[in-house]
Amino acid sequence: QVQLVESGGGSVQAGGSLRLSCAASGATYNTNCMGWFRQAPGKEREGVAYIYADGGSPYYADSVKDRFIISQDNLKNTVYLQMNSLRPEDTAMYYCAAGLCSRVGGSWYRDWDYWGQGTQVTVSS
């Protein structure tokens, strides 16, 4: 089992920044990728950013490209999401996930097996 604990959420005005952290513990050797997802009230969960243990290029949703940066500290087993230029539409519960990711040809296959409890991000206009 892998345990994931998110932190760093909060309330900020539009244009501001927040950094989310996700600390992983347990059987992390069973995973090779981590990601951030978000879900706003009444909307489906959305993949925001993913990062791969093999150092491949991170994935970003179009809605956050050039504003959010995902990074990891392998010594601390922690993944971060730096969120800049926040907009009211970024308001959501943000979840960290870990799993196994593989690329076959031009396609990615991602199985997110472990999830954190989430941290709320609220951006006011």
mmCIF file of all heavy atoms in Angstrom, residues 29-69:
data_model
loop_
_atom_site.group_PDB
_atom_site.id
_atom_site.type_symbol
_atom_site.label_atom_id
_atom_site.label_comp_id
_atom_site.label_asym_id
_atom_site.label_seq_id
_atom_site.Cartn_x
_atom_site.Cartn_y
_atom_site.Cartn_z
ATOM 1 N N TYR A 29 7.760 1.797 -4.123
ATOM 2 C CA TYR A 29 8.485 1.096 -5.191
ATOM 3 C C TYR A 29 7.517 0.417 -6.156
ATOM 4 O O TYR A 29 7.914 -0.021 -7.237
ATOM 5 C CB TYR A 29 9.430 0.053 -4.591
ATOM 6 C CG TYR A 29 8.785 -0.842 -3.570
ATOM 7 C CD1 TYR A 29 8.022 -1.948 -3.948
ATOM 8 C CD2 TYR A 29 8.925 -0.578 -2.216
ATOM 9 C CE1 TYR A 29 7.425 -2.759 -3.005
ATOM 10 C CE2 TYR A 29 8.319 -1.381 -1.262
ATOM 11 C CZ TYR A 29 7.572 -2.469 -1.658
ATOM 12 O OH TYR A 29 6.973 -3.262 -0.718
ATOM 13 N N ASN A 30 6.260 0.333 -5.774
ATOM 14 C CA ASN A 30 5.240 -0.237 -6.661
ATOM 15 C C ASN A 30 4.681 0.779 -7.647
ATOM 16 O O ASN A 30 3.771 0.443 -8.413
ATOM 17 C CB ASN A 30 4.081 -0.803 -5.841
ATOM 18 C CG ASN A 30 4.450 -2.108 -5.164
ATOM 19 O OD1 ASN A 30 5.339 -2.817 -5.621
ATOM 20 N ND2 ASN A 30 3.778 -2.424 -4.075
ATOM 21 N N THR A 31 5.205 1.992 -7.612
ATOM 22 C CA THR A 31 4.688 3.040 -8.493
ATOM 23 C C THR A 31 5.827 3.661 -9.290
ATOM 24 O O THR A 31 6.984 3.639 -8.860
ATOM 25 C CB THR A 31 3.970 4.125 -7.690
ATOM 26 O OG1 THR A 31 4.920 4.796 -6.848
ATOM 27 C CG2 THR A 31 2.871 3.529 -6.814
ATOM 28 N N ASN A 32 5.508 4.213 -10.443
ATOM 29 C CA ASN A 32 6.536 4.906 -11.225
ATOM 30 C C ASN A 32 6.047 6.234 -11.788
ATOM 31 O O ASN A 32 6.703 6.831 -12.633
ATOM 32 C CB ASN A 32 7.048 4.007 -12.358
ATOM 33 C CG ASN A 32 5.983 3.728 -13.406
ATOM 34 O OD1 ASN A 32 4.840 4.175 -13.302
ATOM 35 N ND2 ASN A 32 6.357 2.996 -14.426
ATOM 36 N N CYS A 33 4.902 6.670 -11.312
ATOM 37 C CA CYS A 33 4.416 7.975 -11.745
ATOM 38 C C CYS A 33 3.497 8.545 -10.667
ATOM 39 O O CYS A 33 2.891 7.788 -9.884
ATOM 40 C CB CYS A 33 3.679 7.904 -13.074
ATOM 41 S SG CYS A 33 2.291 6.760 -13.121
ATOM 42 N N MET A 34 3.440 9.852 -10.618
ATOM 43 C CA MET A 34 2.545 10.535 -9.693
ATOM 44 C C MET A 34 1.870 11.671 -10.434
ATOM 45 O O MET A 34 2.395 12.187 -11.423
ATOM 46 C CB MET A 34 3.298 11.061 -8.481
ATOM 47 C CG MET A 34 3.880 9.949 -7.621
ATOM 48 S SD MET A 34 4.613 10.532 -6.088
ATOM 49 C CE MET A 34 3.138 10.999 -5.164
ATOM 50 N N GLY A 35 0.710 12.020 -9.949
ATOM 51 C CA GLY A 35 -0.030 13.054 -10.646
ATOM 52 C C GLY A 35 -0.895 13.875 -9.719
ATOM 53 O O GLY A 35 -1.141 13.492 -8.570
ATOM 54 N N TRP A 36 -1.342 15.006 -10.242
ATOM 55 C CA TRP A 36 -2.296 15.859 -9.556
ATOM 56 C C TRP A 36 -3.575 15.909 -10.389
ATOM 57 O O TRP A 36 -3.524 16.076 -11.612
ATOM 58 C CB TRP A 36 -1.747 17.274 -9.388
ATOM 59 C CG TRP A 36 -0.689 17.373 -8.345
ATOM 60 C CD1 TRP A 36 0.665 17.362 -8.524
ATOM 61 C CD2 TRP A 36 -0.895 17.500 -6.936
ATOM 62 N NE1 TRP A 36 1.310 17.469 -7.329
ATOM 63 C CE2 TRP A 36 0.373 17.563 -6.321
ATOM 64 C CE3 TRP A 36 -2.033 17.580 -6.118
ATOM 65 C CZ2 TRP A 36 0.534 17.695 -4.939
ATOM 66 C CZ3 TRP A 36 -1.869 17.707 -4.754
ATOM 67 C CH2 TRP A 36 -0.600 17.761 -4.178
ATOM 68 N N PHE A 37 -4.669 15.778 -9.694
ATOM 69 C CA PHE A 37 -5.991 15.868 -10.300
ATOM 70 C C PHE A 37 -6.789 16.917 -9.543
ATOM 71 O O PHE A 37 -6.445 17.274 -8.419
ATOM 72 C CB PHE A 37 -6.708 14.512 -10.211
ATOM 73 C CG PHE A 37 -6.061 13.424 -11.009
ATOM 74 C CD1 PHE A 37 -4.897 12.809 -10.577
ATOM 75 C CD2 PHE A 37 -6.614 13.000 -12.205
ATOM 76 C CE1 PHE A 37 -4.288 11.803 -11.318
ATOM 77 C CE2 PHE A 37 -6.034 11.992 -12.955
ATOM 78 C CZ PHE A 37 -4.864 11.402 -12.506
ATOM 79 N N ARG A 38 -7.860 17.368 -10.153
ATOM 80 C CA ARG A 38 -8.732 18.301 -9.438
ATOM 81 C C ARG A 38 -10.181 18.039 -9.820
ATOM 82 O O ARG A 38 -10.483 17.526 -10.896
ATOM 83 C CB ARG A 38 -8.368 19.744 -9.731
ATOM 84 C CG ARG A 38 -8.596 20.199 -11.162
ATOM 85 C CD ARG A 38 -8.054 21.611 -11.360
ATOM 86 N NE ARG A 38 -8.274 22.099 -12.717
ATOM 87 C CZ ARG A 38 -7.799 23.258 -13.171
ATOM 88 N NH1 ARG A 38 -7.063 24.044 -12.370
ATOM 89 N NH2 ARG A 38 -8.045 23.646 -14.411
ATOM 90 N N GLN A 39 -11.050 18.396 -8.898
ATOM 91 C CA GLN A 39 -12.480 18.247 -9.147
ATOM 92 C C GLN A 39 -13.217 19.418 -8.531
ATOM 93 O O GLN A 39 -13.121 19.648 -7.323
ATOM 94 C CB GLN A 39 -13.012 16.927 -8.595
ATOM 95 C CG GLN A 39 -14.442 16.648 -9.010
ATOM 96 C CD GLN A 39 -14.856 15.216 -8.740
ATOM 97 O OE1 GLN A 39 -14.252 14.525 -7.928
ATOM 98 N NE2 GLN A 39 -15.886 14.753 -9.440
ATOM 99 N N ALA A 40 -13.910 20.141 -9.382
ATOM 100 C CA ALA A 40 -14.732 21.256 -8.930
ATOM 101 C C ALA A 40 -16.160 20.761 -8.738
ATOM 102 O O ALA A 40 -16.566 19.771 -9.350
ATOM 103 C CB ALA A 40 -14.682 22.381 -9.953
ATOM 104 N N PRO A 41 -16.937 21.427 -7.909
ATOM 105 C CA PRO A 41 -18.330 21.010 -7.678
ATOM 106 C C PRO A 41 -19.100 20.922 -8.993
ATOM 107 O O PRO A 41 -19.054 21.847 -9.810
ATOM 108 C CB PRO A 41 -18.885 22.111 -6.781
ATOM 109 C CG PRO A 41 -17.702 22.645 -6.064
ATOM 110 C CD PRO A 41 -16.578 22.574 -7.050
ATOM 111 N N GLY A 42 -19.749 19.793 -9.193
ATOM 112 C CA GLY A 42 -20.557 19.619 -10.387
ATOM 113 C C GLY A 42 -19.785 19.285 -11.640
ATOM 114 O O GLY A 42 -20.368 19.181 -12.718
ATOM 115 N N LYS A 43 -18.477 19.104 -11.506
ATOM 116 C CA LYS A 43 -17.651 18.800 -12.685
ATOM 117 C C LYS A 43 -16.933 17.471 -12.491
ATOM 118 O O LYS A 43 -16.774 16.992 -11.376
ATOM 119 C CB LYS A 43 -16.638 19.918 -12.923
ATOM 120 C CG LYS A 43 -17.265 21.237 -13.326
ATOM 121 C CD LYS A 43 -16.204 22.229 -13.751
ATOM 122 C CE LYS A 43 -16.818 23.532 -14.227
ATOM 123 N NZ LYS A 43 -15.779 24.504 -14.675
ATOM 124 N N GLU A 44 -16.501 16.906 -13.609
ATOM 125 C CA GLU A 44 -15.754 15.664 -13.545
ATOM 126 C C GLU A 44 -14.326 15.927 -13.078
ATOM 127 O O GLU A 44 -13.791 17.030 -13.242
ATOM 128 C CB GLU A 44 -15.744 14.990 -14.916
ATOM 129 C CG GLU A 44 -17.109 14.473 -15.352
ATOM 130 C CD GLU A 44 -17.027 13.638 -16.604
ATOM 131 O OE1 GLU A 44 -15.936 13.548 -17.202
ATOM 132 O OE2 GLU A 44 -18.070 13.086 -17.008
ATOM 133 N N ARG A 45 -13.726 14.885 -12.545
ATOM 134 C CA ARG A 45 -12.330 14.997 -12.143
ATOM 135 C C ARG A 45 -11.463 15.188 -13.371
ATOM 136 O O ARG A 45 -11.667 14.538 -14.394
ATOM 137 C CB ARG A 45 -11.915 13.746 -11.377
ATOM 138 C CG ARG A 45 -10.522 13.817 -10.780
ATOM 139 C CD ARG A 45 -10.258 12.601 -9.929
ATOM 140 N NE ARG A 45 -10.368 11.373 -10.704
ATOM 141 C CZ ARG A 45 -10.512 10.167 -10.165
ATOM 142 N NH1 ARG A 45 -10.592 10.035 -8.859
ATOM 143 N NH2 ARG A 45 -10.592 9.098 -10.937
ATOM 144 N N GLU A 46 -10.468 16.042 -13.242
ATOM 145 C CA GLU A 46 -9.598 16.406 -14.361
ATOM 146 C C GLU A 46 -8.144 16.145 -13.992
ATOM 147 O O GLU A 46 -7.703 16.526 -12.905
ATOM 148 C CB GLU A 46 -9.786 17.894 -14.677
ATOM 149 C CG GLU A 46 -8.809 18.461 -15.678
ATOM 150 C CD GLU A 46 -8.878 19.973 -15.791
ATOM 151 O OE1 GLU A 46 -9.370 20.623 -14.845
ATOM 152 O OE2 GLU A 46 -8.434 20.504 -16.815
ATOM 153 N N GLY A 47 -7.412 15.510 -14.882
ATOM 154 C CA GLY A 47 -5.978 15.343 -14.690
ATOM 155 C C GLY A 47 -5.282 16.656 -14.957
ATOM 156 O O GLY A 47 -5.464 17.242 -16.025
ATOM 157 N N VAL A 48 -4.503 17.135 -14.011
ATOM 158 C CA VAL A 48 -3.858 18.439 -14.118
ATOM 159 C C VAL A 48 -2.407 18.307 -14.586
ATOM 160 O O VAL A 48 -1.985 18.990 -15.517
ATOM 161 C CB VAL A 48 -3.918 19.179 -12.764
ATOM 162 C CG1 VAL A 48 -3.136 20.475 -12.828
ATOM 163 C CG2 VAL A 48 -5.361 19.432 -12.357
ATOM 164 N N ALA A 49 -1.645 17.465 -13.917
ATOM 165 C CA ALA A 49 -0.227 17.303 -14.245
ATOM 166 C C ALA A 49 0.253 15.954 -13.748
ATOM 167 O O ALA A 49 -0.175 15.488 -12.688
ATOM 168 C CB ALA A 49 0.606 18.422 -13.621
ATOM 169 N N TYR A 50 1.149 15.334 -14.525
ATOM 170 C CA TYR A 50 1.725 14.042 -14.152
ATOM 171 C C TYR A 50 3.233 14.126 -14.268
ATOM 172 O O TYR A 50 3.762 14.832 -15.133
ATOM 173 C CB TYR A 50 1.254 12.918 -15.077
ATOM 174 C CG TYR A 50 -0.226 12.872 -15.370
ATOM 175 C CD1 TYR A 50 -0.681 12.483 -16.632
ATOM 176 C CD2 TYR A 50 -1.175 13.185 -14.396
ATOM 177 C CE1 TYR A 50 -2.034 12.423 -16.918
ATOM 178 C CE2 TYR A 50 -2.533 13.135 -14.680
ATOM 179 C CZ TYR A 50 -2.954 12.761 -15.942
ATOM 180 O OH TYR A 50 -4.298 12.712 -16.221
ATOM 181 N N ILE A 51 3.912 13.336 -13.447
ATOM 182 C CA ILE A 51 5.365 13.277 -13.517
ATOM 183 C C ILE A 51 5.792 11.825 -13.419
ATOM 184 O O ILE A 51 5.170 11.035 -12.703
ATOM 185 C CB ILE A 51 6.003 14.148 -12.410
ATOM 186 C CG1 ILE A 51 7.496 14.348 -12.671
ATOM 187 C CG2 ILE A 51 5.737 13.586 -11.015
ATOM 188 C CD1 ILE A 51 8.097 15.485 -11.847
ATOM 189 N N TYR A 52 6.861 11.496 -14.146
ATOM 190 C CA TYR A 52 7.273 10.103 -14.295
ATOM 191 C C TYR A 52 8.636 9.874 -13.654
ATOM 192 O O TYR A 52 9.537 10.699 -13.779
ATOM 193 C CB TYR A 52 7.319 9.738 -15.780
ATOM 194 C CG TYR A 52 6.035 10.082 -16.491
ATOM 195 C CD1 TYR A 52 5.935 11.199 -17.303
ATOM 196 C CD2 TYR A 52 4.890 9.296 -16.303
ATOM 197 C CE1 TYR A 52 4.747 11.523 -17.937
ATOM 198 C CE2 TYR A 52 3.699 9.617 -16.935
ATOM 199 C CZ TYR A 52 3.626 10.732 -17.748
ATOM 200 O OH TYR A 52 2.453 11.054 -18.354
ATOM 201 N N ALA A 53 8.789 8.722 -13.023
ATOM 202 C CA ALA A 53 10.027 8.409 -12.321
ATOM 203 C C ALA A 53 11.209 8.272 -13.275
ATOM 204 O O ALA A 53 12.353 8.492 -12.874
ATOM 205 C CB ALA A 53 9.861 7.124 -11.517
ATOM 206 N N ASP A 54 10.949 7.952 -14.530
ATOM 207 C CA ASP A 54 12.053 7.768 -15.468
ATOM 208 C C ASP A 54 12.548 9.089 -16.043
ATOM 209 O O ASP A 54 13.425 9.114 -16.887
ATOM 210 C CB ASP A 54 11.645 6.831 -16.607
ATOM 211 C CG ASP A 54 10.548 7.414 -17.493
ATOM 212 O OD1 ASP A 54 10.082 8.534 -17.219
ATOM 213 O OD2 ASP A 54 10.145 6.732 -18.457
ATOM 214 N N GLY A 55 11.964 10.195 -15.580
ATOM 215 C CA GLY A 55 12.433 11.496 -16.020
ATOM 216 C C GLY A 55 11.856 11.984 -17.318
ATOM 217 O O GLY A 55 12.312 12.987 -17.870
ATOM 218 N N GLY A 56 10.862 11.292 -17.852
ATOM 219 C CA GLY A 56 10.224 11.725 -19.076
ATOM 220 C C GLY A 56 9.509 13.057 -18.898
ATOM 221 O O GLY A 56 9.320 13.529 -17.773
ATOM 222 N N SER A 57 9.157 13.671 -19.998
ATOM 223 C CA SER A 57 8.507 14.978 -19.944
ATOM 224 C C SER A 57 7.202 14.906 -19.155
ATOM 225 O O SER A 57 6.381 14.024 -19.401
ATOM 226 C CB SER A 57 8.228 15.469 -21.354
ATOM 227 O OG SER A 57 9.425 15.651 -22.071
ATOM 228 N N PRO A 58 6.998 15.817 -18.242
ATOM 229 C CA PRO A 58 5.740 15.827 -17.499
ATOM 230 C C PRO A 58 4.567 16.150 -18.420
ATOM 231 O O PRO A 58 4.736 16.741 -19.482
ATOM 232 C CB PRO A 58 5.926 16.944 -16.460
ATOM 233 C CG PRO A 58 7.383 17.193 -16.407
ATOM 234 C CD PRO A 58 7.914 16.869 -17.764
ATOM 235 N N TYR A 59 3.400 15.744 -17.974
ATOM 236 C CA TYR A 59 2.164 16.071 -18.687
ATOM 237 C C TYR A 59 1.476 17.222 -17.977
ATOM 238 O O TYR A 59 1.450 17.276 -16.748
ATOM 239 C CB TYR A 59 1.239 14.859 -18.707
ATOM 240 C CG TYR A 59 -0.190 15.230 -19.025
ATOM 241 C CD1 TYR A 59 -0.623 15.330 -20.335
ATOM 242 C CD2 TYR A 59 -1.106 15.502 -18.008
ATOM 243 C CE1 TYR A 59 -1.936 15.688 -20.629
ATOM 244 C CE2 TYR A 59 -2.410 15.857 -18.284
ATOM 245 C CZ TYR A 59 -2.818 15.946 -19.599
ATOM 246 O OH TYR A 59 -4.106 16.318 -19.874
ATOM 247 N N TYR A 60 0.929 18.143 -18.782
ATOM 248 C CA TYR A 60 0.116 19.220 -18.237
ATOM 249 C C TYR A 60 -1.179 19.322 -19.041
ATOM 250 O O TYR A 60 -1.157 19.236 -20.271
ATOM 251 C CB TYR A 60 0.836 20.565 -18.307
ATOM 252 C CG TYR A 60 2.058 20.657 -17.438
ATOM 253 C CD1 TYR A 60 3.330 20.434 -17.952
ATOM 254 C CD2 TYR A 60 1.945 20.953 -16.078
ATOM 255 C CE1 TYR A 60 4.452 20.519 -17.150
ATOM 256 C CE2 TYR A 60 3.064 21.035 -15.261
ATOM 257 C CZ TYR A 60 4.317 20.811 -15.810
ATOM 258 O OH TYR A 60 5.424 20.888 -15.004
ATOM 259 N N ALA A 61 -2.262 19.528 -18.340
ATOM 260 C CA ALA A 61 -3.506 19.823 -19.029
ATOM 261 C C ALA A 61 -3.378 21.185 -19.709
ATOM 262 O O ALA A 61 -2.665 22.069 -19.215
ATOM 263 C CB ALA A 61 -4.664 19.845 -18.038
ATOM 264 N N ASP A 62 -4.047 21.347 -20.822
ATOM 265 C CA ASP A 62 -3.960 22.614 -21.552
ATOM 266 C C ASP A 62 -4.355 23.805 -20.682
ATOM 267 O O ASP A 62 -3.804 24.898 -20.822
ATOM 268 C CB ASP A 62 -4.867 22.564 -22.796
ATOM 269 C CG ASP A 62 -4.305 21.671 -23.882
ATOM 270 O OD1 ASP A 62 -3.095 21.359 -23.840
ATOM 271 O OD2 ASP A 62 -5.081 21.270 -24.764
ATOM 272 N N SER A 63 -5.297 23.581 -19.786
ATOM 273 C CA SER A 63 -5.807 24.670 -18.955
ATOM 274 C C SER A 63 -4.786 25.199 -17.954
ATOM 275 O O SER A 63 -4.975 26.290 -17.407
ATOM 276 C CB SER A 63 -7.057 24.208 -18.209
ATOM 277 O OG SER A 63 -6.773 23.052 -17.439
ATOM 278 N N VAL A 64 -3.700 24.444 -17.723
ATOM 279 C CA VAL A 64 -2.717 24.884 -16.728
ATOM 280 C C VAL A 64 -1.326 25.056 -17.300
ATOM 281 O O VAL A 64 -0.400 25.469 -16.589
ATOM 282 C CB VAL A 64 -2.660 23.916 -15.526
ATOM 283 C CG1 VAL A 64 -4.046 23.714 -14.933
ATOM 284 C CG2 VAL A 64 -2.021 22.583 -15.906
ATOM 285 N N LYS A 65 -1.145 24.752 -18.574
ATOM 286 C CA LYS A 65 0.177 24.891 -19.182
ATOM 287 C C LYS A 65 0.689 26.304 -19.029
ATOM 288 O O LYS A 65 -0.062 27.275 -19.162
ATOM 289 C CB LYS A 65 0.098 24.511 -20.664
ATOM 290 C CG LYS A 65 0.220 23.033 -20.925
ATOM 291 C CD LYS A 65 0.162 22.738 -22.415
ATOM 292 C CE LYS A 65 0.233 21.247 -22.667
ATOM 293 N NZ LYS A 65 0.101 20.920 -24.103
ATOM 294 N N ASP A 66 1.977 26.413 -18.768
ATOM 295 C CA ASP A 66 2.666 27.690 -18.603
ATOM 296 C C ASP A 66 2.293 28.405 -17.315
ATOM 297 O O ASP A 66 2.781 29.522 -17.068
ATOM 298 C CB ASP A 66 2.393 28.619 -19.786
ATOM 299 C CG ASP A 66 2.860 28.040 -21.107
ATOM 300 O OD1 ASP A 66 3.911 27.363 -21.113
ATOM 301 O OD2 ASP A 66 2.163 28.241 -22.118
ATOM 302 N N ARG A 67 1.438 27.805 -16.483
ATOM 303 C CA ARG A 67 1.108 28.387 -15.177
ATOM 304 C C ARG A 67 1.478 27.462 -14.023
ATOM 305 O O ARG A 67 1.882 27.930 -12.959
ATOM 306 C CB ARG A 67 -0.390 28.715 -15.111
ATOM 307 C CG ARG A 67 -0.865 29.716 -16.131
ATOM 308 C CD ARG A 67 -2.296 30.147 -15.856
ATOM 309 N NE ARG A 67 -3.236 29.037 -15.904
ATOM 310 C CZ ARG A 67 -4.044 28.695 -14.904
ATOM 311 N NH1 ARG A 67 -4.008 29.372 -13.760
ATOM 312 N NH2 ARG A 67 -4.880 27.687 -15.026
ATOM 313 N N PHE A 68 1.326 26.167 -14.217
ATOM 314 C CA PHE A 68 1.599 25.193 -13.162
ATOM 315 C C PHE A 68 2.885 24.433 -13.493
ATOM 316 O O PHE A 68 3.190 24.188 -14.664
ATOM 317 C CB PHE A 68 0.463 24.183 -13.045
ATOM 318 C CG PHE A 68 -0.824 24.733 -12.489
ATOM 319 C CD1 PHE A 68 -1.035 26.092 -12.322
ATOM 320 C CD2 PHE A 68 -1.846 23.870 -12.131
ATOM 321 C CE1 PHE A 68 -2.217 26.583 -11.811
ATOM 322 C CE2 PHE A 68 -3.043 24.343 -11.616
ATOM 323 C CZ PHE A 68 -3.225 25.704 -11.473
ATOM 324 N N ILE A 69 3.602 24.050 -12.449
ATOM 325 C CA ILE A 69 4.809 23.243 -12.616
ATOM 326 C C ILE A 69 4.772 22.091 -11.628
ATOM 327 O O ILE A 69 4.622 22.320 -10.408
ATOM 328 C CB ILE A 69 6.081 24.078 -12.389
ATOM 329 C CG1 ILE A 69 6.147 25.250 -13.367
ATOM 330 C CG2 ILE A 69 7.323 23.198 -12.547
ATOM 331 C CD1 ILE A 69 7.264 26.232 -13.065
#
